[in-house]
Amino acid sequence: MTPLYGIYGASGFGRETLPLLRAKLKDTGAQLVFIDDSEGPASVNGQARVSWDGFLSLPASSRHVCLAIANSALRETLAAKCEAAGVGFVQVRAANVVELDGVVIGEGAILSPFVILTSNLTIGRHFHANIYSYVAHDCVIGDFVTFAPNVMCNGNVRIEDHAYIGTGAVIKQGQPGRPTVIGRGAVVGMGAVVTRDVAAGETVVGNPARPLVKG
């Protein structure tokens, strides 16, 4: 038997993740499938698509998953399900990811092409960094955080668990001992320029970023 790897989620981000994991597993003899519990075709982009139960039933010497699910709460639920089943996690990264000194990354990260991680960073579990995003020096990123494409996270920033940072957002650099803080579950809108802390659960938009007023 050979190791079995699954990409949980066969929609857009899962399909973007597929070539990265396929390259990682090249010449290893490992099996690779999509895991998706919704109705759909038997294969996606040339790769078999199975349910969670189907994944567990396939013969394998070991099982590993990456969670290509945008919804961070669902990602956390699926992580717990994998752990309960004894399924491990795999980090997926593009060949051209740049990582400098003192970078610590939790399990299950997906790092897309052209991502840059500079120096002295701590990144939590199941982080998604989409294309052209960067995290600069002395940042602390929590668990289940999502960066959409082209996020610019400057130095001395703390982003708490389950935050979502939209495409093209810019987060102003904080100060040593006084980081710019994006609170737990906060949402930073597309193209927003964050110049001050964002409260937990808050959605901010615009330049400078301000709380979204729902009419």
Side-chain angles (χ1 to χ4, degrees), residues 5 17 20-21 24-25 64-67 88-94 97 99 103-111 117 123-124 126-127:
Y5 289 80
T17 300
L20 309 181
L21 185 51
K24 181 184 180 81
L25 300 178
H64 315 266
V65 162
C66 67
L67 303 174
F89 300 107
V90 58
Q91 183 187 111
V92 180
R93 63 167 63 201
V97 168
E99 180 180 320
V103 176
V104 177
I105 307 177
E107 64 187 1
I110 300 177
L111 308 175
L117 309 175
I123 296 173
H126 301 287
F127 174 56

Side-chain angles (χ1 to χ4, degrees), residues 137-139 154-158 160 171-183 194-199:
H137 63 88
D138 300 300
C139 288
N154 292 293
N156 289 294
V157 170
R158 186 173 82 239
E160 297 180 348
I171 304 175
K172 178 186 176 182
Q173 179 164 323
Q175 300 297 322
R178 178 60 180 92
T180 302
V181 177
I182 310 297
V194 177
T195 59
R196 57 188 180 184
D197 293 354
V198 178

Side-chain angles (χ1 to χ4, degrees), residues 2-29:
T2 58
L4 174 62
Y5 289 80
I7 299 171
Y8 216 131
S11 59
F13 193 55
R15 286 182 277 114
E16 291 177 348
T17 300
L18 172 63
L20 309 181
L21 185 51
R22 187 188 282 145
K24 181 184 180 81
L25 300 178
K26 185 179 180 182
D27 300 324
T28 67

